[in-house]
Structures are given as structure tokens and as C-alpha cells.
Amino acid sequence: MIYLDNAATSWPKPPEVIRAMGQVLESAGGNPGRSGHRLSIAAARWVYQTREEIAQFFQVSDPMRVIFTGNATEAINLALKGLLRPGDHVVTTSMEHNALMRPLRALESQGIRLTVVPCFRDGSLDLEEMARAVDGSTRLVAMTHASNVVGTILPVEEACRIAHRAGALFLLDAAQTAGAIPIDLSSLKVDLFAFTGHKELQGPPGIGGLVLGEEVEVSAIEPLVRGGTGSRSEWEWQPDFLPDKFESGTPNLVGIAGLLAGLRWIQERGIISIRSHLQGLRQMLVDGLREISGLEVHGCLDSERSVSIVSFTCSGKRVSEIGMRLDEEYGILARVGLHCAPAAHRTIGSFPEGTVRLAPGILTSRDDLVRTLEAIRKIVGS
Amino acid sequence: MTSYGVVLFFTTSSAIRAEKRLQKEGLRIKLIPTPREFSSDCGIALRFEWADRERVCSLLEGARIEVESVRCCLD
């Protein structure tokens, strides 16, 4: 089997991740922060250690500004619904995933003003358009770091500067980039940074987070969920301090332990060498697919400006048929369709049919891609 | 009669953070359930030798770990 759906979730998970998840239940199975006994404290240590190592990985000076959530979607919802009020102006791009677009559309129906900056067909952002869309009334610029459909990395440093120059905050959806490319939040001054654990960070599903930048007032964001935090138990009101304000209910300790193991696994290999491996794989796929007649490769052809995602279509063949034959006849797992990103598919011109998406991961080999290209050649030639 | 100190925190995360920082310096400390005589935000408190008080306070301050209060107790 060749797994090329790492943009949906990475697989297989490192054995260290699976081991850590069992180990935490065995050795630290208390409820972190709730009780004062040894198992509760052991669990709290595990949670804090993960918070601290995530902070170090993204160069965040205060680990308390790392808030755990279930995934990037929840982190984005917390940021948007917590921050925005009717009348606020928000700018986003036409390459967004529904994790960002759907909450924004819902908030639009409740009175925020939304501007969607159109992107180019290769998925890249027109910074001049963005600069025109942002003005003194803009509260937030919210966008993806890299497209989940075509992999194009967006110019987030410049977009962040545009936002800050206008006095707006900047939210980054790093679902496809956290763990895939180096991210230094001490220089990239993102105000709200949403990540997920189960993609390139190699963790399990069900764990992600939101990092609050130093300029963000904790009081400016309302929690998405309120409830028990283990702290201030005599109060019937939500605490106002970090991270408890945004972390109600028993946390996903097993997911957190898996995330920590995944993060360490990545760091042992080195983010630079992971990046270079994935970039090479993507370029090999792009070059190989372009040699097959009848195929159109969408998005940016230069893998230096993309994460490890390639989308293609084939004239005269349904993407669903290609996906099914790849799976059934060759054991190659891809994802076809719209990838929860209708706006992005409209931008690249593949709406409503969608594309075949191939997303190699850290454990994908060049030989896997040779076999994949051969399979695609046979399917489209038949 | 010996005395010991208890550091109270707002959140468990700070208690664990403090434990890590002070253990690194080799101080004799222990995380304990917050004694009920203190009204605290957090269920876990940090017990330390009262003689180390100044060092504990300055290390926590240096690491920018938010503390609710520091109390003295008698054994």
C-alpha cells in the first residue's frame, strides 16, 4: 500500500507516538490539574511539557500562550468567534479551507463584514489586492499558510505586515505547514496561530492548538467553551487567566502525549531535512505528472513555494474513477474531490469536479512515487 | 518547630512550570494538594523549605512564572 493522503492526516504514525499514548494512560492516568495526587500531577506534567515543547518548536516565549484544542478547526473557531463582533471587518483569501471559511460565513450572517481577496490560478496571493482590501476599519486578516488543495505557500510575512500596518490582527491557519516547514513565531509576528497535531506534526487525531501572540489581550477573546478547569473551583465564573480561560473540561491527555512524541520524532529528524525531502518528492511528482499526456497539474509547479501536495485532473476521466482505481488496482491511497475547500477549487478552476490530490509524507519513498506515476499513466491511458 | 513555605498559583500549568524550574536548581520542593486553609485558584501548590524563600521567589520571578501568593506554614 502507498499512502499519499498525508494532507488529510499523516500515516503511518511513528511507533514512538503510539507507544507514548499507551504509556501516558498506564503511568499518568489521572485528570491533569484536578486533583493533587500523584497520577493527577503526573498527567499535568505531561500536558505542561507538551505545551513547553510546542512553544519552543514555534519559538513562542511564553508557553502559557499555547492553548490546546481538538484540532486546527476548533482553534480557528475559538479565534474567530472569540474575537470578532458585529461590524468588524475581516479580510481573507479565496484559497481557504472551510475550517476558516465556514465560521467566517456564519459570522458574516451575524454582522461582520467579510472581504475575500481573489488569488491567482496557481493559488498564489495578490499582495496588492490584499493591501487594497485592508483598511483602518479591518479588525482581522485571516488566512491559510499553504493551500490544502495545491500546496502553494502564501506570502504570510508580507500579509501579516499589511495587517499590522493597518492596526489589524493576523490569524494564520497552519494546518498544512506546522511540522512541514520551519515556522518561527518570534520573527513572524502572527497574533493567532492555529495548528493541528495529526498532520505533519505526526501526532494522533483529536489534538491541536491556538497560539496567542504577545500583542493579543487575553480579555479580547471570549472562550468557545466554558466549564471546569481545576482552578478557581469556588467560582461559578470562568477564570480569566491563561491557559485555563480557553481550556475547559478534561483535556485529551492521550492526544497530547502522542503530539509530544510526534514533535520529538520530527525534531530528531530535523525540520530542514524533512522539508527538503518533501520538496524533492513533490517536485518529482509534478515533473512526472506533467509528462503524462492529458493531465493538468494545478497550482504552483515550483515545489520550493509549495508544501507536499499536488493536485491534478485528466481530461475525459472523472477524478473519482482515478481515485478508486488507484486504490483498488494499485493500493495507492489519494483523495479526490473538493477537499473541503470550494473557494480554492473555484480559484484554480477545478470547481465543481475537483481534483486528484497526492500528498506524500515523511515516510514516502521515491520508489513509491515511481510506482504511483506508473499507475496513473496506465489508468489515464486506458 | 520547623516552618515551610507554600507557593499558590492561578493555574496548574504554572505549578508544573515552577516545579521544573526549581528542581533544575536542586531545591527541595514538592507539589502538594493546595492546603484547604488557603483559598487558591489552583488545586496544586508547591511546598518548599522556608529557608529557601528568597531563592524560590527570585527564581520564579526570573522565569516570569505567575504566582498567586507565597505562604508560610508551621509543621
Side-chain angles (χ1 to χ4, degrees), chain A residues 289-311:
Chain A
L289 290 170
R290 289 183 73 200
E291 282 172 13
I292 302 173
S293 70
L295 288 197
E296 184 187 353
V297 178
H298 296 269
C300 175
L301 300 177
D302 176 6
S303 296
E304 212 171 314
R305 295 195 292 123
S306 312
V307 293
S308 181
I309 294 173
V310 180
S311 254

Side-chain angles (χ1 to χ4, degrees), chain B residues 16-58:
Chain B
I16 304 289
R17 199 176 174 190
E19 177 193 47
K20 255 189 95 175
R21 183 71 193 93
L22 300 178
Q23 260 172 358
K24 204 169 142 198
E25 299 295 321
L27 287 164
R28 271 167 53 94
I29 52 139
K30 193 180 178 212
L31 289 180
I32 56 169
T34 304
R36 286 308 297 159
E37 61 266 36
F38 304 131
S39 166
S40 166
D41 279 332
C42 174
I44 305 174
L46 185 139
R47 180 182 161 142
F48 63 94
E49 311 269 324
W50 189 247
D52 294 330
R53 181 172 53 100
E54 282 181 16
R55 210 152 152 239
V56 164
C57 290
S58 84

Side-chain angles (χ1 to χ4, degrees), chain A residues 186-201:
Chain A
S186 68
S187 61
L188 177 64
K189 301 263 185 209
V190 167
D191 300 295
L192 299 148
F193 176 82
F195 67 92
T196 193
H198 72 100
K199 296 187 199 272
E200 288 309 322
L201 288 172

Side-chain angles (χ1 to χ4, degrees), chain A residues 323-343:
Chain A
M324 193 177 70
R325 291 187 61 188
L326 278 171
D327 183 2
E328 288 182 354
E329 295 171 27
Y330 300 94
I332 295 169
L333 312 189
R335 179 169 170 190
V336 301
L338 292 175
H339 314 98
C340 299

Side-chain angles (χ1 to χ4, degrees), chain A residues 239-257:
Chain A
D240 54 3
F241 44 79
L242 289 172
D244 299 22
K245 180 176 180 182
F246 304 112
E247 288 185 1
S248 292
T250 300
N252 179 2
L253 180 63
V254 177
I256 285 170

Side-chain angles (χ1 to χ4, degrees), chain A residues 32-37 40-41 44-45 48-49 51-52 61-64 214 229-235 241-244 247, chain B residues 9-20 23 30-34 36 39-45 63-66 68:
Chain A
R34 268 52 177 183
S35 320
H37 58 69
S40 172
I41 290 175
R45 283 194 193 109
Y48 177 74
Q49 190 63 29
R51 206 185 296 286
E52 189 174 277
S61 62
D62 182 0
M64 309 300 240
E214 283 172 14
T229 56
S231 54
R232 206 168 266 194
S233 286
E234 70 276 25
W235 278 45
F241 44 79
L242 289 172
D244 299 22
E247 288 185 1
Chain B
F9 302 93
F10 292 105
T11 165
T12 309
S13 300
S14 296
I16 304 289
R17 199 176 174 190
E19 177 193 47
K20 255 189 95 175
Q23 260 172 358
K30 193 180 178 212
L31 289 180
I32 56 169
T34 304
R36 286 308 297 159
S39 166
S40 166
D41 279 332
C42 174
I44 305 174
R64 290 167 59 200
I65 297 170
E66 220 181 336
E68 190 191 276

